């Protein structure tokens, strides 16, 4: 009998682990643009990821055949399937909300966690070390969060690392780097600057990612695999934005045709429409009265047009990019669709609702963390030990013991009995003096007051509360739209069933 490893490459193994992991399954309940309860045929993060993988594979096959290349299709598929693992419920508004909270912009949450209205440098003049702790734990962005999930948060894997036992180190680096770089690492607008995403640089393993000091990929690392997924993501968004707008009656097929192919003020076809696309307008006109047939036809045309443009333009430049004409057209089309969809009343209502729910959930969990599940409380201790070990870099003895504890083979949970997690957590959060041992592992004990022995670790309250903030962020970011709504109802609504 064959072992599965005899016929599955290491990149196939990486792809399949992503495909079968729980964060990937939850993408089915996360909004792409419209909330998942908006209708049966709404796009979700899961369907979007599958479409990106399909388009990316098509581009790979086309390039390989046209130019006799050997681009790794299995790596492309792994990156494409995993590229949105770090996304929040309620679409990009969820990402923006968590980013604001973790940059200490929510006064109420700051007060709950840190007993301060504001967290800024001038308030820590007499305590530079404490300010540094806050300043190194900023930010949330979905591509960075996707890497964090695969490096540290997979409960079914030793040390939470999905690819930790794959012997070829290039697999882990290439897949994670692809997921990270499918979207901008930071940007000067929208407050996603490098200093406001400091958590990820400080607390992720970015060795061999070949990022320079400004988080730009070095030239030698700008592989075509990364470019392919970026463009597949762009193409997928463009075609399903059109589909969703028609499906939910924001525009008619006739209007969609005018948006895609364009008309000038006199009603004449837009001369700026690329010729390869312009010649296919007649294929969709006959379906203006049949929206289902129209959707199938127009999606096929849009995807085919952009993919063909990429493949043909590769011959001219040796790198992957749209032709200048198509790039300009894509920007115009994107703006048109955003004005129609993202500014529509339903999307604005869903965004406001999603932001409100996330902020209220965060307040509830910060006020009483014991409302969260056992495994989430356990994750706070794991995050604390991970961050504390960096805080005591010079103490090699304790640092080594912590690392051994986090990587133990017996599982992700630190505690032998689930109820001990809650006992320990209550001691850390609520008692000024801890009489009992808060946590005891094979080689280490955690208490609130130092006992003068190397086996003991002080609980630094600032670090612990920062870790609590980060794990609440992880927990909410992992929720589906429906789960977040139900949690809100259980915590704030009049609902008889409050059980998890």
């Amino acid at each position: 009998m064959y072992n599965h490893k005899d016929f599955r490459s290491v990149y196939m193994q990486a792809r399949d682990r992503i495909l079968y992991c729980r964060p990937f399954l939850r993408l089915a309940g996360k909004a792409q643009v419209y909330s998942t309860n908006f209708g049966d045929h709404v796009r979700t993060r899961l369907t979007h990821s599958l479409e990106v993988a399909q388009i990316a594979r098509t581009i790979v096959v086309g390039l390989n055949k046209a130019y006799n290349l050997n681009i790794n299709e299995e790596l492309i598929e792994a990156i494409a399937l995993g590229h949105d693992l770090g996304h929040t419920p309620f679409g990009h508004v969820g990402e923006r909300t968590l980013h604001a909270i973790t940059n200490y912009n929510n006064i109420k949450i700051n007060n709950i966690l840190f007993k301060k209205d504001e967290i800024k440098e001038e308030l820590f003049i007499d305590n530079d070390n404490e300010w540094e702790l806050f300043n190194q734990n900023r930010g949330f962005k979905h591509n960075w969060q996707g890497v964090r999930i695969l490096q540290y948060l997979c409960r079914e894997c030793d040390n939470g690392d999905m690819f930790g036992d794959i012997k070829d180190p290039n697999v882990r680096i290439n897949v994670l780097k692809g997921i990270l770089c499918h979207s901008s690492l930071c940007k000067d607008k929208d407050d996603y600057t490098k200093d406001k995403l400091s958590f990820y640089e400080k607390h992720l393993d970015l060795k061999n990612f070949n990022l320079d000091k400004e988080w730009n990929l070095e030239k030698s690392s700008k592989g075509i695999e990364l470019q392919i997924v970026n463009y597949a993501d762009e193409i997928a968004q463009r075609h399903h934005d059109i589909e969703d707008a028609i499906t939910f009656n924001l525009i008619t097929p006739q209007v969609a045709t005018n948006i895609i192919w364009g008309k000038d003020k006199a009603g004449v076809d837009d001369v700026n429409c690329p010729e390869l696309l312009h010649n296919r307008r007649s294929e969709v006109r006959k379906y203006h009265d049949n929206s289902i047939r129209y959707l199938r036809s127009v999606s096929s045309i849009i995807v085919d047009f952009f993919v063909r443009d990429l493949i043909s333009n590769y011959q001219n430049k040796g790198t992957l990019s749209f032709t200048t004409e198509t790039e300009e057209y894509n920007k115009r089309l994107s703006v048109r669709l955003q004005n129609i969809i993202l500014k529509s009343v339903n999307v604005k209502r869903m965004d406001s609702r999603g932001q409100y729910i996330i902020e209220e959930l965060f307040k509830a969990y910060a006020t009483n963390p014991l409302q969260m599940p056992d495994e989430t409380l356990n994750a706070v201790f794991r995050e604390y030990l991970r961050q504390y070990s960096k805080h005591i870099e010079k103490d090699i003895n304790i640092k080594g013991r912590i690392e051994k504890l986090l990587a133990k083979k017996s599982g992700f949970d630190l505690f032998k009995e689930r109820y001990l997690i809650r006992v320990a957590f209550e001691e850390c959060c609520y008692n000024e003096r801890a009489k009992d041992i808060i946590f005891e592992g094979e080689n280490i004990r955690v208490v609130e007051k130092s006992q003068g022995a190397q086996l003991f670790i002080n609980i630094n309250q600032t670090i612990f509360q920062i870790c609590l903030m980060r794990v609440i962020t992880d927990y909410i970011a992992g929720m589906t739209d429906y789960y977040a709504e139900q949690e809100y109802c259980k915590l704030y609504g009049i609902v008889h069933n409050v059980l998890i």
Side-chain angles (χ1 to χ4, degrees), residues 380-402:
V380 178
F381 279 102
R382 290 186 67 88
E383 184 63 27
Y384 176 80
L385 290 176
R386 191 181 294 118
Q387 291 209 25
Y388 188 83
S389 69
K390 292 186 177 182
H391 188 61
I392 53 164
E393 290 283 356
K394 295 181 180 179
D395 197 328
I396 299 174
N397 190 7
I398 292 184
K399 182 177 172 65
R401 292 175 182 226
I402 290 176

Side-chain angles (χ1 to χ4, degrees), residues 138-154:
R138 291 178 176 274
F140 181 93
K141 200 167 185 295
H142 76 275
N143 50 330
W144 286 100
Q145 185 69 9
V147 175
R148 173 167 164 80
I149 288 170
L150 295 177
Q151 280 192 346
Y152 296 117
L153 304 184
C154 295

Side-chain angles (χ1 to χ4, degrees), residues 428-452:
C428 284
C429 285
Y430 305 119
N431 289 359
E432 292 183 4
R433 294 183 180 179
K435 297 180 181 179
D436 299 323
I437 293 170
I438 292 172
F439 165 71
E440 184 167 16
E442 294 176 8
N443 301 301
I444 224 162
R445 283 186 285 180
V446 181
V447 295
E448 207 169 85
K449 301 296 180 184
S450 174
Q451 304 296 315

Side-chain angles (χ1 to χ4, degrees), residues 345-377:
V345 61
N346 284 328
V347 170
K348 288 298 182 183
R349 284 183 173 185
M350 286 184 287
D351 281 356
S352 295
R353 184 167 173 268
Q355 178 179 345
Y356 178 79
I357 289 174
I358 288 175
E359 288 177 344
E360 294 305 303
L361 288 178
F362 214 110
K363 291 174 192 175
Y365 298 141
T367 301
N368 183 1
L370 295 179
Q371 295 181 102
M372 295 188 290
D374 294 344
E375 55 265 27
T376 306
L377 299 180

Side-chain angles (χ1 to χ4, degrees), residues 269-280:
D269 291 355
D270 187 353
V271 294
N272 292 320
C273 179
E275 184 178 359
L276 186 64
L277 182 62
H278 178 80
N279 294 335
R280 302 190 67 177

Side-chain angles (χ1 to χ4, degrees), residues 279-320:
N279 294 335
R280 302 190 67 177
R281 181 173 187 152
S282 60
E283 295 179 36
V284 299
R285 278 177 169 158
K286 58 186 176 183
Y287 297 129
H288 280 171
D289 295 328
N290 186 335
S291 61
I292 294 177
R293 291 292 299 273
Y294 181 88
L295 290 176
R296 179 178 179 181
S297 178
V298 78
S299 289
S300 175
I301 289 171
I302 289 293
V303 173
D304 182 70
F305 161 68
F306 281 119
V307 169
R308 286 180 183 275
D309 186 85
L310 279 176
I311 293 172
S312 62
N313 197 43
Y314 182 84
Q315 184 176 15
N316 299 329
K317 293 189 174 182
T319 59
L320 202 65

